[in-house]
Amino acid sequence: MVGVSDGRSSSPRPPPDGRSRAGPPVLSLALAAMLEEFHAHSGAVYLLAADPPVLEMAVMAGLPRAFAAPWERITLGARVPVVDAVQLRRLIWVGGEEEMARRYPRVAVVIPYPFAMAALPVATESAVYGAVFLTWPGTHPPELSDRQRERLMAACHELALKLERAAGAGRPVRPEPDLPAAPTVGGAAGTLGAVEAARMAARLPYGLCSLDLDGRVGFANPAAAELLGVPADRLIGVPLWSAVPWLDDPVYEDRYRAALLSQHTTSFTALRPPGEWLSFRLYPSRTGLSVRISRARGVSRPGRSAPAPAETPSRLVSVSKVVSLTGALAEAADVRDVMQLIADEIAPTVGSRAFALLGSRAGRMYVIGHRGYPEPRVVEGFDGMPLTEPTPGAQVLRTGVPGFFESWEELRRLYPTRRSSPDGFAAWAFLPLIASGRPVGTCVLAYDAPHRFTTDERAVLISMAGLVAQALDRALLYDAKQRLAHGLQEALLPRSLPVVPGIEAAARYLPATRGMDIGGDFYDLVPAGGTAAAVIGDVQGHNVTAAGLMGQVRTAVRACTALGQEPEEVMRSTNRLLIDLGTELFVSCLYLRLDPGRGRAVLARAGHPPPLLRGPDGRVRVPDVAGGPLLGIDGAARYPCTELDLAPGALLVLYTDGLVESPGTDFDDSLAELGDRLTEAGDLPLPELADRLVRDEADAEERPDDIALLLLRTRRE
């Protein structure tokens, strides 16, 4: 997800290309109609961008756009309701804050208030154009009626048809200005009624003011101006927290957000310097808030001082951005995830057009990654540069002290050896990434125009750098472990299958996605004179111990094969080895000796799933193969052999249970499904067939178990 808001109060936006729009505002009219028909409090329409595939907020109503900063631009991998609505092509309903916390914790952390939400795809049968969300106050019933669901889906489908027609006519719909709040309808009619209402408000002994959805003051009575200590003419038209700096506080921000999102009355007390406490009560509506201000009684909080005046306009949603970023970085697994989050969330939020991550190794700088530079070679030129070089990147890596350069002239003044701006940008922030007290890198943010870094902005950037450092430290360790795991796995499995006369062979291996991405499944094909031995097995576990034991078992099987042992004896010897090693892990195994010249195979099985045999006529069956217990359990176990006839063109499929077993599925059903696929595609070349058989598992986001597959086909004459 990407927040591109600058945190200031929003206003209607023109299309990003600056061109005026021809024709009616399709998105605004559709959103307004949905808000009216379903009595929703707020909502937004997203359009789906193709490159990269993201949902971009095109129009919003009912809330300040700043509130939606973390979700203005959402990747299709984010766990948020509108993405699920698009991915699943159905209405997603979240009935309250508890359900939101359970299903979408990242959203709930940023907006922990009572409200209900519906998210829907804007799609036709053939294409997705975007998504819509609507929200209701927390008092809304916990479920939508069937009629409401049908009408919501119909409204979004109708909008999708309009977008389809517009695209077909060469006039694609673009983002539109946000919908303004409806004017407040007063209870007094005519000019005289309005004047009398103002006189009445002026006589009230407590402060009263009204705010629009963006927090701008539309009215303030004299008592409010006196209590706030700000003349009324300096309040009107200005956000309350900008006109009254001591109200620019995250605690008060939370109450303001809670009132607007939940449509519940909220309150708070605030200290007016030097020592007077005021009570604020917020009454929300769909058009804004009414605020009642009075002196608080019995409030005493010694030691608390008033916040310092802000240097810049209020950062109203800075807290929500940081909270959202914290949740996102906590989910980042590898360096690629961290890079994507900086590109999607941090850089757009702070106005940076490009960034780079630099690390240090053996006294030299190296480039971890970068985005947004027109000439990547400029950044990559720093790779391998000694840390003693007089450059800001090296300086920050050495010292851990951030560097802010508001213009090219400032950078050149401090680093006179730099004669020109090599990357073409005009301002830079060099942020040290320090985790657990040690530097892990530097984040460079580049700006395309001179940029003034205020004290507040520097503090926010340094805080964000701390979050990035923690995530990057974990990601670098994760990537190192993954490289170790993959290297170990590649070393223990055959790099390629040998050529065996009379036999075609192909194999595939997929590690589990849980654990270290390394496992104990193995396979091998060993030529032995005019015959060959094949083995497939599965060691318990998905870790280095399982992989190490797998290597020992594979070596033992190869040694026994070289000695000319029969399949039953190979199994017994390997079983005794495991028992002698004293390991607590067990191994399933299927071993066979192939004799293509005589058209037969001899098999021995130790607790392993049976093979599948596809005959030359295309029929698939499960041979009845005798077997014994898992290896490593019983030192006296026997492993009887079974002989199979292999006609020319016959295909043996050896596999581990990860290919046919998954939670909630029946083994026999999965085996039958595998047989059906083998019947249909068994005549394909073996590499293509192997890819076809593991395709679904290879595309799955999660694999609870490793998968090994070995295909053996006797050649036709």
Side-chain angles (χ1 to χ4, degrees):
M1 296 182 292
V2 180
V4 296
S5 169
D6 63 359
R8 305 179 187 181
S9 57
S10 62
S11 59
R13 304 185 311 164
D17 58 6
R19 295 190 297 270
S20 61
R21 179 183 308 281
V26 175
L27 305 180
S28 302
L29 291 175
L31 180 59
M34 283 187 260
L35 290 171
E36 182 69 23
E37 178 178 356
F38 301 103
H39 307 291
H41 162 235
S42 67
V45 179
Y46 288 85
L47 293 177
L48 181 62
D51 187 22
V54 295
L55 289 170
E56 295 181 332
M57 186 177 289
V59 63
M60 188 174 184
L63 289 174
R65 179 171 287 251
F67 275 28
W71 303 288
E72 279 205 280
R73 190 168 182 266
I74 310 175
T75 63
L76 294 187
R79 284 303 313 277
V80 294
V82 288
V83 171
D84 281 359
V86 168
Q87 300 282 28
L88 301 176
R89 294 283 196 100
R90 65 179 178 84
L91 185 152
I92 300 296
W93 171 255
V94 183
E97 57 184 326
E98 291 185 6
E99 186 178 359
M100 184 69 77
R102 184 176 67 254
R103 295 172 58 187
Y104 302 100
R106 280 189 59 186
V107 177
V109 165
V110 178
I111 45 177
Y113 314 116
F115 70 99
M117 171 183 282
L120 304 98
V122 177
T124 63
E125 294 295 330
S126 58
V128 176
Y129 292 92
V132 167
F133 80 73
L134 302 175
T135 69
W136 291 263
T139 54
H140 190 278
E143 292 293 339
L144 288 174
S145 68
D146 290 342
R147 173 170 173 74
Q148 286 175 315
R149 288 175 175 269
E150 291 173 2
R151 286 293 305 132
L152 277 169
M153 289 297 292
C156 289
H157 182 68
E158 182 178 346
L159 175 58
L161 292 176
K162 292 179 180 178
L163 298 181
E164 184 177 56
R165 288 194 291 269
R171 298 190 303 274
V173 174
R174 300 182 183 278
E176 300 171 0
D178 289 345
L179 289 173
T184 304
V185 180
T191 304
L192 291 178
V195 170
E196 184 56 33
R199 289 174 178 170
M200 181 188 70
R203 292 193 294 266
L204 292 174
Y206 52 81
L208 185 67
C209 62
S210 65
L211 309 181
D212 65 12
L213 292 177
D214 294 311
R216 291 185 291 260
V217 180
F219 169 84
N221 69 353
E226 180 182 354
L227 288 168
L228 295 173
V230 178
D233 59 351
R234 287 173 51 191
L235 290 171
I236 304 302
V238 181
L240 185 60
W241 42 88
S242 296
V244 187
W246 46 269
L247 285 178
D248 189 10
D249 187 291
V251 174
Y252 314 145
E253 169 197 335
D254 178 74
R255 296 297 81 205
Y256 166 77
R257 289 160 55 85
L260 279 184
L261 285 163
S262 67
Q263 292 292 288
H264 290 172
T265 300
T266 63
S267 61
F268 63 87
T269 57
L271 176 64
R272 173 187 167 179
E276 183 178 18
W277 287 93
L278 300 181
S279 173
F280 293 77
R281 193 161 182 83
L282 283 62
Y283 301 89
S285 73
R286 292 179 60 182
T287 59
L289 300 102
S290 298
V291 183
R292 185 181 188 274
I293 310 170
S294 60
R295 288 181 172 86
R297 298 179 180 178
V299 177
S300 177
R301 300 184 188 179
R304 173 168 176 152
S305 60
E311 292 186 19
T312 58
S314 169
R315 293 176 286 107
L316 183 62
V317 294
S318 60
V319 173
S320 67
K321 289 179 184 177
V322 172
V323 169
S324 177
L325 177 64
T326 302
L329 288 171
E331 297 173 3
D334 54 21
V335 172
R336 183 176 56 183
D337 290 345
V338 175
M339 292 286 298
Q340 192 64 45
L341 283 167
I342 297 174
D344 288 349
E345 298 209 22
I346 296 180
T349 299
V350 301
S352 170
R353 298 301 299 271
F355 75 91
L357 290 182
L358 308 177
S360 62
R361 184 188 298 131
R364 292 183 177 272
M365 195 158 41
Y366 75 97
V367 179
I368 299 172
H370 59 84
R371 297 280 180 84
Y373 288 89
E375 293 290 338
R377 59 180 177 80
V378 173
V379 183
E380 292 160 4
F382 290 98
D383 209 59
M385 178 180 291
L387 293 181
T388 54
E389 285 289 314
T391 65
Q395 175 79 7
V396 173
L397 276 170
R398 282 199 316 270
T399 65
V401 178
F404 297 95
F405 305 94
E406 299 184 346
S407 66
W408 161 240
E409 290 73 19
E410 183 177 342
L411 178 64
R412 184 173 56 183
R413 185 170 63 253
L414 295 174
Y415 294 91
T417 58
R418 304 283 294 273
R419 297 187 177 277
S420 63
S421 173
D423 57 12
F425 290 98
W428 302 264
F430 289 80
L431 307 172
L433 304 178
I434 300 174
S436 303
R438 59 184 180 81
V440 297
T442 295
C443 179
V444 184
L445 299 174
Y447 298 77
D448 57 4
H451 183 87
R452 181 170 177 264
F453 296 98
T454 65
T455 301
D456 280 354
E457 186 174 5
R458 295 184 186 211
V460 169
L461 289 175
I462 293 172
S463 297
M464 287 186 172
L467 298 175
V468 172
Q470 297 292 334
L472 182 62
D473 191 34
R474 292 193 307 270
L476 291 171
L477 180 60
Y478 176 84
D479 284 353
K481 287 183 176 179
Q482 291 301 99
R483 288 193 297 271
L484 172 64
H486 292 162
L488 179 59
Q489 192 81 63
E490 291 175 1
L492 294 175
L493 289 173
R495 293 182 178 273
S496 62
L497 295 176
V499 177
V500 177
I503 297 174
E504 297 177 58
R508 295 291 182 269
Y509 174 80
L510 299 174
T513 56
R514 299 176 184 173
M516 281 192 65
D517 203 12
I518 184 174
D521 288 16
F522 65 96
Y523 61 87
D524 207 352
L525 182 62
V526 185
T531 65
V535 63
I536 193 165
D538 183 359
V539 181
Q540 286 177 305
H542 316 117
N543 50 37
V544 173
T545 302
L549 184 59
M550 174 264 282
Q552 292 175 302
V553 171
R554 180 170 166 248
T555 300
V557 169
R558 272 188 165 261
C560 294
T561 299
L563 293 174
Q565 293 182 355
E566 292 298 317
E568 181 180 7
E569 185 58 31
V570 171
M571 294 298 241
R572 286 206 305 266
S573 299
T574 308
N575 183 47
R576 286 194 297 269
L577 170 66
L578 289 179
I579 292 175
D580 291 343
L581 289 174
T583 177
E584 296 181 355
L585 301 179
F586 304 130
V587 180
S588 74
C589 188
L590 177 65
Y591 179 90
L592 62 151
R593 186 66 61 85
L594 292 163
D595 189 346
R598 298 174 58 188
R600 72 171 194 145
V602 179
L603 295 78
R605 185 163 67 98
H608 199 82
L612 292 178
L613 176 62
R614 185 183 191 271
D617 58 358
R619 297 177 59 185
V620 177
R621 65 186 181 91
V622 182
D624 185 10
V625 179
L630 294 169
L631 301 177
I633 294 179
D634 180 6
R638 299 183 62 82
Y639 300 92
C641 292
T642 301
E643 185 171 328
L644 295 178
D645 291 328
L646 297 179
L651 174 64
L652 269 173
V653 179
L654 315 182
Y655 54 91
T656 55
D657 54 9
L659 185 64
V660 291
E661 287 186 355
S662 59
T665 61
D666 182 78
F667 174 81
D668 291 336
D669 292 342
S670 297
L671 193 61
E673 182 183 353
L674 178 61
D676 291 341
R677 286 191 285 164
L678 193 60
T679 299
E680 177 184 353
D683 290 325
L684 292 173
L686 286 193
E688 187 176 342
L689 175 60
D691 290 336
R692 178 81 65 91
L693 295 180
V694 302
R695 181 173 55 196
D696 292 343
E697 288 73 18
D699 294 339
E701 291 186 4
E702 286 198 10
R703 285 187 300 275
D705 200 359
D706 313 317
I707 296 172
L709 175 69
L710 180 59
L711 304 180
L712 303 168
R713 177 188 283 158
T714 55
R715 298 184 185 274
R716 299 178 186 271
E717 296 297 334

